[in-house]
Coordinates of all heavy atoms in Angstrom, one line a residue:
L1 N -22.0 -13.0 -2.8 CA -20.6 -12.2 -2.7 C -20.6 -11.1 -3.7 O -20.1 -10.2 -3.4 CB -19.6 -13.3 -3.1 CG -18.2 -12.7 -2.9 CD1 -17.9 -12.2 -1.5 CD2 -17.1 -13.8 -3.3
L2 N -21.2 -11.3 -4.9 CA -21.0 -10.1 -5.9 C -21.8 -8.9 -5.4 O -21.3 -7.9 -5.5 CB -21.6 -10.6 -7.2 CG -21.0 -11.8 -8.0 CD1 -21.6 -11.9 -9.4 CD2 -19.4 -11.6 -8.1
E3 N -22.9 -9.1 -4.8 CA -23.6 -8.0 -4.2 C -22.9 -7.3 -3.1 O -23.0 -6.1 -3.0 CB -25.1 -8.5 -3.8 CG -26.1 -8.9 -4.9 CD -25.7 -10.2 -5.5 OE1 -24.9 -11.1 -4.8 OE2 -26.3 -10.6 -6.4
E4 N -22.2 -8.2 -2.3 CA -21.6 -7.7 -1.2 C -20.3 -6.8 -1.7 O -20.0 -5.6 -1.2 CB -21.0 -8.8 -0.4 CG -20.4 -8.4 1.0 CD -20.0 -9.5 1.8 OE1 -20.2 -10.7 1.5 OE2 -19.5 -9.3 3.0
V5 N -19.7 -7.3 -2.6 CA -18.5 -6.6 -3.2 C -18.8 -5.5 -3.9 O -18.2 -4.3 -3.7 CB -17.6 -7.6 -4.1 CG1 -16.6 -6.8 -5.0 CG2 -16.9 -8.7 -3.3
L6 N -19.9 -5.5 -4.6 CA -20.4 -4.3 -5.4 C -20.8 -3.1 -4.4 O -20.5 -2.0 -4.6 CB -21.7 -4.6 -6.3 CG -22.3 -3.5 -7.1 CD1 -21.2 -2.8 -7.9 CD2 -23.4 -4.0 -7.8
A7 N -21.3 -3.6 -3.3 CA -21.8 -2.5 -2.2 C -20.6 -1.9 -1.6 O -20.6 -0.6 -1.4 CB -22.7 -3.1 -1.1
E8 N -19.5 -2.8 -1.6 CA -18.3 -2.2 -0.8 C -17.6 -1.2 -1.8 O -17.1 -0.1 -1.3 CB -17.3 -3.4 -0.6 CG -16.2 -3.0 0.4 CD -16.6 -2.5 1.7 OE1 -17.7 -3.1 2.2 OE2 -15.9 -1.7 2.3
V9 N -17.6 -1.4 -3.0 CA -17.0 -0.5 -3.9 C -17.7 0.7 -4.2 O -17.2 1.8 -4.2 CB -16.8 -1.2 -5.4 CG1 -16.2 -0.2 -6.5 CG2 -15.8 -2.4 -5.3
R10 N -19.1 0.7 -4.1 CA -19.9 1.8 -4.1 C -19.6 2.7 -2.9 O -19.8 3.9 -3.0 CB -21.5 1.4 -4.1 CG -21.9 0.9 -5.6 CD -23.3 0.4 -5.6 NE -23.7 0.1 -6.8 CZ -24.7 -0.7 -7.1 NH1 -25.5 -1.2 -6.2 NH2 -25.1 -0.9 -8.4
A11 N -19.3 2.0 -1.8 CA -18.9 2.8 -0.6 C -17.6 3.5 -0.7 O -17.4 4.7 -0.4 CB -19.0 1.9 0.6
A12 N -16.7 2.9 -1.4 CA -15.3 3.4 -1.5 C -14.6 2.6 -2.5 O -14.5 1.4 -2.4 CB -14.6 3.2 -0.1
P13 N -14.1 3.3 -3.6 CA -13.3 2.5 -4.6 C -12.1 1.9 -4.0 O -11.5 2.4 -3.0 CB -13.0 3.6 -5.6 CG -14.0 4.7 -5.4 CD -14.3 4.6 -4.0
G14 N -11.5 1.0 -4.7 CA -10.4 0.3 -4.2 C -9.9 -0.9 -5.0 O -10.7 -1.3 -6.0
T15 N -8.7 -1.4 -4.8 CA -8.2 -2.7 -5.4 C -8.8 -3.8 -4.8 O -9.6 -3.8 -3.7 CB -6.7 -2.8 -5.3 OG1 -6.4 -3.1 -3.9 CG2 -6.0 -1.5 -5.8
A16 N -8.7 -5.0 -5.4 CA -9.3 -6.3 -4.8 C -8.7 -6.5 -3.4 O -9.4 -7.0 -2.6 CB -9.0 -7.4 -5.8
R17 N -7.4 -6.2 -3.3 CA -6.7 -6.3 -1.9 C -7.5 -5.4 -0.9 O -7.6 -5.7 0.2 CB -5.2 -6.2 -2.1 CG -4.6 -7.1 -2.8 CD -3.1 -6.9 -2.8 NE -2.3 -7.8 -3.9 CZ -1.9 -9.0 -3.5 NH1 -2.1 -9.5 -2.4 NH2 -1.3 -9.8 -4.5
D18 N -7.8 -4.1 -1.3 CA -8.3 -3.2 -0.5 C -9.7 -3.8 0.0 O -10.2 -3.8 1.2 CB -8.5 -1.7 -1.1 CG -7.2 -1.1 -1.4 OD1 -6.3 -1.4 -0.8 OD2 -7.3 -0.3 -2.5
I19 N -10.5 -4.3 -0.9 CA -11.6 -4.8 -0.6 C -11.7 -6.1 0.3 O -12.5 -6.2 1.3 CB -12.6 -5.2 -1.9 CG1 -12.7 -3.8 -2.7 CG2 -13.8 -5.8 -1.6 CD1 -13.1 -4.1 -4.2
E20 N -10.7 -6.9 0.1 CA -10.4 -8.1 0.9 C -10.2 -7.6 2.4 O -10.9 -8.2 3.3 CB -9.2 -8.8 0.5 CG -9.6 -9.7 -0.7 CD -8.3 -10.5 -1.1 OE1 -7.4 -10.6 -0.3 OE2 -8.4 -11.1 -2.3
R21 N -9.5 -6.6 2.5 CA -9.2 -6.1 4.0 C -10.4 -5.6 4.5 O -10.7 -5.8 5.8 CB -8.0 -5.1 3.9 CG -6.7 -5.7 3.6 CD -5.6 -4.7 3.9 NE -5.6 -3.6 3.0 CZ -4.8 -3.5 1.8 NH1 -4.1 -4.6 1.5 NH2 -4.9 -2.5 1.0
R22 N -11.2 -4.8 3.8 CA -12.3 -4.2 4.3 C -13.4 -5.1 4.7 O -14.1 -5.0 5.7 CB -12.9 -3.0 3.4 CG -11.8 -1.9 3.1 CD -12.7 -0.7 2.7 NE -13.3 -0.8 1.6 CZ -13.0 -0.4 0.3 NH1 -11.8 0.2 0.1 NH2 -13.8 -0.5 -0.7
L23 N -13.5 -6.2 3.8 CA -14.6 -7.2 4.2 C -14.0 -8.2 5.2 O -14.8 -9.2 5.6 CB -15.0 -8.0 2.9 CG -15.8 -7.1 1.9 CD1 -16.0 -7.9 0.6 CD2 -17.1 -6.7 2.5
E24 N -12.8 -8.2 5.5 CA -12.1 -9.1 6.4 C -12.3 -10.6 5.9 O -12.6 -11.5 6.6 CB -12.6 -9.0 7.8 CG -12.2 -7.6 8.5 CD -12.8 -7.6 9.9 OE1 -13.4 -8.5 10.4 OE2 -12.4 -6.6 10.6
A25 N -12.1 -10.7 4.6 CA -12.4 -11.9 3.9 C -11.2 -12.8 4.0 O -10.0 -12.2 4.0 CB -12.7 -11.7 2.3
D26 N -11.3 -14.0 4.1 CA -10.2 -14.9 4.2 C -10.6 -16.2 3.4 O -10.7 -17.3 3.8 CB -10.2 -15.5 5.7 CG -8.7 -16.3 5.8 OD1 -7.8 -16.2 5.0 OD2 -8.8 -17.1 6.9
H27 N -10.6 -15.9 1.9 CA -10.8 -17.0 1.0 C -9.4 -17.3 0.5 O -8.6 -16.6 0.1 CB -11.7 -16.5 -0.1 CG -13.1 -16.0 0.4 ND1 -13.9 -16.9 0.9 CD2 -13.6 -14.9 0.5 CE1 -15.1 -16.3 1.2 NE2 -15.0 -15.1 1.0
P28 N -9.3 -18.7 0.3 CA -8.0 -19.1 -0.3 C -7.8 -18.7 -1.8 O -8.9 -18.5 -2.4 CB -8.1 -20.7 -0.1 CG -9.6 -20.9 0.0 CD -10.1 -19.8 0.5
R29 N -6.7 -18.6 -2.3 CA -6.3 -18.3 -3.6 C -6.3 -19.6 -4.4 O -5.8 -20.6 -3.9 CB -5.0 -17.5 -3.7 CG -5.1 -16.1 -3.2 CD -3.7 -15.4 -3.4 NE -3.9 -13.9 -2.8 CZ -4.3 -13.0 -3.4 NH1 -4.7 -13.1 -4.7 NH2 -4.4 -11.7 -2.9
E30 N -6.7 -19.6 -5.7 CA -6.7 -20.6 -6.6 C -5.2 -21.0 -7.0 O -4.5 -20.0 -7.1 CB -7.5 -20.4 -7.8 CG -9.0 -20.8 -7.6 CD -9.6 -21.0 -9.0 OE1 -9.0 -21.7 -9.9 OE2 -10.8 -20.5 -9.3
R31 N -4.9 -22.2 -7.1 CA -3.6 -22.6 -7.5 C -3.6 -23.4 -8.7 O -2.6 -24.1 -9.1 CB -2.8 -23.4 -6.5 CG -2.7 -22.5 -5.0 CD -1.9 -21.2 -5.0 NE -1.8 -20.6 -3.9 CZ -1.3 -19.3 -3.7 NH1 -0.6 -18.9 -4.8 NH2 -1.2 -18.8 -2.6
S32 N -4.6 -23.4 -9.4 CA -4.9 -24.3 -10.6 C -4.3 -23.8 -11.9 O -3.9 -24.7 -12.7 CB -6.4 -24.6 -10.9 OG -7.0 -23.4 -11.2
E33 N -4.1 -22.5 -12.0 CA -3.5 -22.0 -13.2 C -2.3 -21.1 -12.9 O -2.4 -20.1 -12.1 CB -4.6 -21.2 -14.0 CG -5.7 -22.2 -14.5 CD -6.7 -21.2 -15.2 OE1 -6.3 -20.4 -16.0 OE2 -7.9 -21.5 -15.0
W34 N -1.2 -21.2 -13.5 CA -0.1 -20.5 -13.3 C -0.3 -19.0 -13.8 O -0.8 -18.8 -14.8 CB 1.2 -21.0 -14.1 CG 2.3 -20.1 -14.0 CD1 3.3 -20.2 -13.0 CD2 2.8 -19.0 -14.9 NE1 4.3 -19.2 -13.3 CE2 4.1 -18.5 -14.4 CE3 2.3 -18.5 -15.9 CZ2 4.6 -17.4 -15.0 CZ3 2.9 -17.3 -16.5 CH2 4.0 -16.9 -16.2
G35 N 0.1 -18.0 -13.0 CA -0.1 -16.6 -13.3 C -1.5 -16.0 -13.0 O -1.6 -14.9 -13.1
W36 N -2.5 -17.0 -12.6 CA -3.8 -16.5 -12.3 C -4.3 -16.9 -11.0 O -5.4 -17.4 -10.9 CB -4.7 -17.0 -13.4 CG -4.3 -16.5 -14.7 CD1 -3.6 -17.1 -15.7 CD2 -4.6 -15.2 -15.2 NE1 -3.5 -16.3 -16.9 CE2 -4.0 -15.2 -16.6 CE3 -5.3 -14.0 -14.9 CZ2 -4.1 -14.0 -17.5 CZ3 -5.4 -12.9 -15.7 CH2 -4.8 -12.9 -16.9
N37 N -3.4 -16.7 -9.9 CA -3.8 -17.2 -8.6 C -4.7 -16.1 -7.9 O -4.2 -15.5 -6.9 CB -2.5 -17.5 -7.8 CG -1.7 -18.6 -8.5 OD1 -2.3 -19.6 -9.0 ND2 -0.3 -18.5 -8.3
W38 N -5.9 -15.9 -8.2 CA -6.7 -15.0 -7.8 C -7.4 -15.5 -6.5 O -7.7 -16.6 -6.4 CB -7.8 -14.6 -8.8 CG -7.3 -13.9 -10.0 CD1 -6.2 -13.2 -10.1 CD2 -8.1 -13.6 -11.1 NE1 -6.1 -12.6 -11.3 CE2 -7.3 -12.7 -11.9 CE3 -9.5 -13.9 -11.5 CZ2 -7.7 -12.4 -13.1 CZ3 -9.8 -13.4 -12.7 CH2 -9.0 -12.7 -13.6
S39 N -7.6 -14.5 -5.6 CA -8.6 -14.9 -4.5 C -9.9 -14.7 -5.0 O -10.3 -14.4 -6.1 CB -8.3 -13.7 -3.4 OG -8.8 -12.5 -3.8

């Protein structure tokens, strides 16, 4: 996944949400820590 994300940013900068959309990723967000619900 790191290699895939790095390649995507090299192709076009963006936010994490931008990259999610471009990769058509559908990974659940963590709910274990308040305030840090990252995908």
Side-chain angles (χ1 to χ4, degrees):
L1 182 60
L2 297 188
E3 291 78 10
E4 188 177 6
V5 169
L6 180 56
E8 192 63 32
V9 175
R10 284 173 174 164
T15 66
R17 293 181 191 274
D18 294 333
I19 297 162
E20 283 181 14
R21 285 192 293 267
R22 297 204 300 258
L23 292 177
E24 297 183 351
D26 186 21
H27 297 294
R29 292 180 179 272
E30 273 200 44
R31 303 294 178 184
S32 59
E33 297 179 39
W34 177 86
W36 299 98
N37 297 325
W38 287 350
S39 70

